[in-house]
mmCIF file of all heavy atoms in Angstrom:
data_model
loop_
_atom_site.group_PDB
_atom_site.id
_atom_site.type_symbol
_atom_site.label_atom_id
_atom_site.label_comp_id
_atom_site.label_asym_id
_atom_site.label_seq_id
_atom_site.Cartn_x
_atom_site.Cartn_y
_atom_site.Cartn_z
ATOM 1 N N LEU H 20 86.044 -8.307 -97.837
ATOM 2 C CA LEU H 20 85.731 -8.499 -96.431
ATOM 3 C C LEU H 20 84.806 -9.687 -96.220
ATOM 4 O O LEU H 20 84.867 -10.359 -95.191
ATOM 5 C CB LEU H 20 85.103 -7.234 -95.856
ATOM 6 C CG LEU H 20 86.056 -6.036 -95.790
ATOM 7 C CD1 LEU H 20 85.314 -4.786 -95.348
ATOM 8 C CD2 LEU H 20 87.219 -6.330 -94.851
ATOM 9 N N GLU H 21 83.957 -9.929 -97.187
ATOM 10 C CA GLU H 21 83.071 -11.082 -97.108
ATOM 11 C C GLU H 21 83.894 -12.351 -96.881
ATOM 12 O O GLU H 21 83.512 -13.230 -96.124
ATOM 13 C CB GLU H 21 82.296 -11.203 -98.427
ATOM 14 C CG GLU H 21 80.925 -11.785 -98.293
ATOM 15 C CD GLU H 21 80.003 -10.853 -97.519
ATOM 16 O OE1 GLU H 21 79.895 -9.659 -97.884
ATOM 17 O OE2 GLU H 21 79.437 -11.322 -96.532
ATOM 18 N N VAL H 22 85.043 -12.406 -97.534
ATOM 19 C CA VAL H 22 85.894 -13.588 -97.478
ATOM 20 C C VAL H 22 86.916 -13.513 -96.346
ATOM 21 O O VAL H 22 87.116 -14.471 -95.609
ATOM 22 C CB VAL H 22 86.646 -13.765 -98.819
ATOM 23 C CG1 VAL H 22 87.493 -15.017 -98.800
ATOM 24 C CG2 VAL H 22 85.666 -13.801 -99.978
ATOM 25 N N MET H 23 87.546 -12.354 -96.204
ATOM 26 C CA MET H 23 88.677 -12.237 -95.289
ATOM 27 C C MET H 23 88.355 -11.428 -94.038
ATOM 28 O O MET H 23 89.241 -11.188 -93.222
ATOM 29 C CB MET H 23 89.853 -11.577 -96.014
ATOM 30 C CG MET H 23 90.434 -12.406 -97.140
ATOM 31 S SD MET H 23 90.935 -14.068 -96.592
ATOM 32 C CE MET H 23 92.209 -13.667 -95.388
ATOM 33 N N GLY H 24 87.115 -11.028 -93.882
ATOM 34 C CA GLY H 24 86.787 -10.127 -92.785
ATOM 35 C C GLY H 24 86.551 -10.820 -91.456
ATOM 36 O O GLY H 24 86.272 -10.163 -90.470
ATOM 37 N N GLU H 25 86.636 -12.122 -91.423
ATOM 38 C CA GLU H 25 86.351 -12.808 -90.166
ATOM 39 C C GLU H 25 87.579 -12.915 -89.272
ATOM 40 O O GLU H 25 88.712 -12.803 -89.724
ATOM 41 C CB GLU H 25 85.741 -14.180 -90.446
ATOM 42 C CG GLU H 25 84.241 -14.057 -90.730
ATOM 43 C CD GLU H 25 83.676 -15.312 -91.310
ATOM 44 O OE1 GLU H 25 84.196 -15.776 -92.344
ATOM 45 O OE2 GLU H 25 82.719 -15.847 -90.741
ATOM 46 N N ARG H 26 87.267 -13.136 -88.015
ATOM 47 C CA ARG H 26 88.259 -12.962 -86.964
ATOM 48 C C ARG H 26 89.581 -13.684 -87.206
ATOM 49 O O ARG H 26 90.630 -13.143 -86.918
ATOM 50 C CB ARG H 26 87.631 -13.404 -85.637
ATOM 51 C CG ARG H 26 88.459 -13.082 -84.422
ATOM 52 C CD ARG H 26 87.610 -13.151 -83.160
ATOM 53 N NE ARG H 26 88.363 -13.529 -81.996
ATOM 54 C CZ ARG H 26 89.256 -12.749 -81.382
ATOM 55 N NH1 ARG H 26 89.503 -11.568 -81.830
ATOM 56 N NH2 ARG H 26 89.895 -13.184 -80.322
ATOM 57 N N TRP H 27 89.572 -14.874 -87.727
ATOM 58 C CA TRP H 27 90.817 -15.632 -87.824
ATOM 59 C C TRP H 27 91.383 -15.752 -89.231
ATOM 60 O O TRP H 27 92.491 -16.283 -89.427
ATOM 61 C CB TRP H 27 90.612 -17.030 -87.245
ATOM 62 C CG TRP H 27 90.528 -17.024 -85.748
ATOM 63 C CD1 TRP H 27 89.396 -17.088 -84.989
ATOM 64 C CD2 TRP H 27 91.622 -16.927 -84.833
ATOM 65 N NE1 TRP H 27 89.701 -17.050 -83.665
ATOM 66 C CE2 TRP H 27 91.075 -16.951 -83.531
ATOM 67 C CE3 TRP H 27 93.004 -16.821 -84.977
ATOM 68 C CZ2 TRP H 27 91.864 -16.874 -82.387
ATOM 69 C CZ3 TRP H 27 93.786 -16.747 -83.845
ATOM 70 C CH2 TRP H 27 93.220 -16.774 -82.567
ATOM 71 N N SER H 28 90.651 -15.293 -90.215
ATOM 72 C CA SER H 28 91.042 -15.534 -91.610
ATOM 73 C C SER H 28 92.469 -15.093 -91.915
ATOM 74 O O SER H 28 93.258 -15.851 -92.477
ATOM 75 C CB SER H 28 90.068 -14.826 -92.545
ATOM 76 O OG SER H 28 88.745 -15.213 -92.255
ATOM 77 N N PHE H 29 92.805 -13.866 -91.525
ATOM 78 C CA PHE H 29 94.137 -13.362 -91.857
ATOM 79 C C PHE H 29 95.237 -14.067 -91.085
ATOM 80 O O PHE H 29 96.347 -14.247 -91.582
ATOM 81 C CB PHE H 29 94.222 -11.852 -91.634
ATOM 82 C CG PHE H 29 93.993 -11.070 -92.882
ATOM 83 C CD1 PHE H 29 92.816 -10.368 -93.063
ATOM 84 C CD2 PHE H 29 94.939 -11.057 -93.904
ATOM 85 C CE1 PHE H 29 92.583 -9.649 -94.230
ATOM 86 C CE2 PHE H 29 94.724 -10.345 -95.069
ATOM 87 C CZ PHE H 29 93.539 -9.640 -95.230
ATOM 88 N N MET H 30 94.936 -14.485 -89.873
ATOM 89 C CA MET H 30 95.939 -15.203 -89.096
ATOM 90 C C MET H 30 96.226 -16.570 -89.728
ATOM 91 O O MET H 30 97.374 -17.024 -89.754
ATOM 92 C CB MET H 30 95.468 -15.364 -87.654
ATOM 93 C CG MET H 30 95.466 -14.062 -86.863
ATOM 94 S SD MET H 30 97.078 -13.262 -86.768
ATOM 95 C CE MET H 30 97.903 -14.332 -85.586
ATOM 96 N N ILE H 31 95.184 -17.207 -90.207
ATOM 97 C CA ILE H 31 95.368 -18.486 -90.892
ATOM 98 C C ILE H 31 96.158 -18.281 -92.173
ATOM 99 O O ILE H 31 97.082 -19.030 -92.486
ATOM 100 C CB ILE H 31 94.000 -19.130 -91.200
ATOM 101 C CG1 ILE H 31 93.302 -19.516 -89.888
ATOM 102 C CG2 ILE H 31 94.156 -20.351 -92.103
ATOM 103 C CD1 ILE H 31 91.881 -20.003 -90.062
ATOM 104 N N LEU H 32 95.814 -17.224 -92.882
ATOM 105 C CA LEU H 32 96.536 -16.897 -94.107
ATOM 106 C C LEU H 32 98.017 -16.687 -93.819
ATOM 107 O O LEU H 32 98.888 -17.223 -94.501
ATOM 108 C CB LEU H 32 95.954 -15.617 -94.707
ATOM 109 C CG LEU H 32 96.385 -15.325 -96.128
ATOM 110 C CD1 LEU H 32 95.576 -16.146 -97.106
ATOM 111 C CD2 LEU H 32 96.247 -13.846 -96.446
ATOM 112 N N ARG H 33 98.285 -15.938 -92.781
ATOM 113 C CA ARG H 33 99.669 -15.664 -92.425
ATOM 114 C C ARG H 33 100.411 -16.949 -92.063
ATOM 115 O O ARG H 33 101.549 -17.163 -92.455
ATOM 116 C CB ARG H 33 99.737 -14.697 -91.256
ATOM 117 C CG ARG H 33 101.151 -14.235 -90.956
ATOM 118 C CD ARG H 33 101.185 -13.328 -89.760
ATOM 119 N NE ARG H 33 101.861 -13.977 -88.662
ATOM 120 C CZ ARG H 33 103.195 -14.036 -88.526
ATOM 121 N NH1 ARG H 33 103.979 -13.508 -89.446
ATOM 122 N NH2 ARG H 33 103.731 -14.621 -87.497
ATOM 123 N N ALA H 34 99.733 -17.806 -91.326
ATOM 124 C CA ALA H 34 100.344 -19.083 -90.970
ATOM 125 C C ALA H 34 100.648 -19.886 -92.232
ATOM 126 O O ALA H 34 101.693 -20.533 -92.334
ATOM 127 C CB ALA H 34 99.424 -19.858 -90.039
ATOM 128 N N SER H 35 99.753 -19.823 -93.192
ATOM 129 C CA SER H 35 99.986 -20.501 -94.468
ATOM 130 C C SER H 35 101.222 -19.940 -95.165
ATOM 131 O O SER H 35 102.080 -20.681 -95.627
ATOM 132 C CB SER H 35 98.777 -20.344 -95.393
ATOM 133 O OG SER H 35 97.805 -21.303 -95.090
#
Side-chain angles (χ1 to χ4, degrees):
Chain H
L20 293 174
E21 211 67 53
V22 182
M23 294 305 298
E25 278 167 305
R26 189 163 150 71
W27 286 101
S28 306
F29 264 107
M30 289 301 286
I31 294 173
L32 193 80
R33 187 182 112 81
S35 277

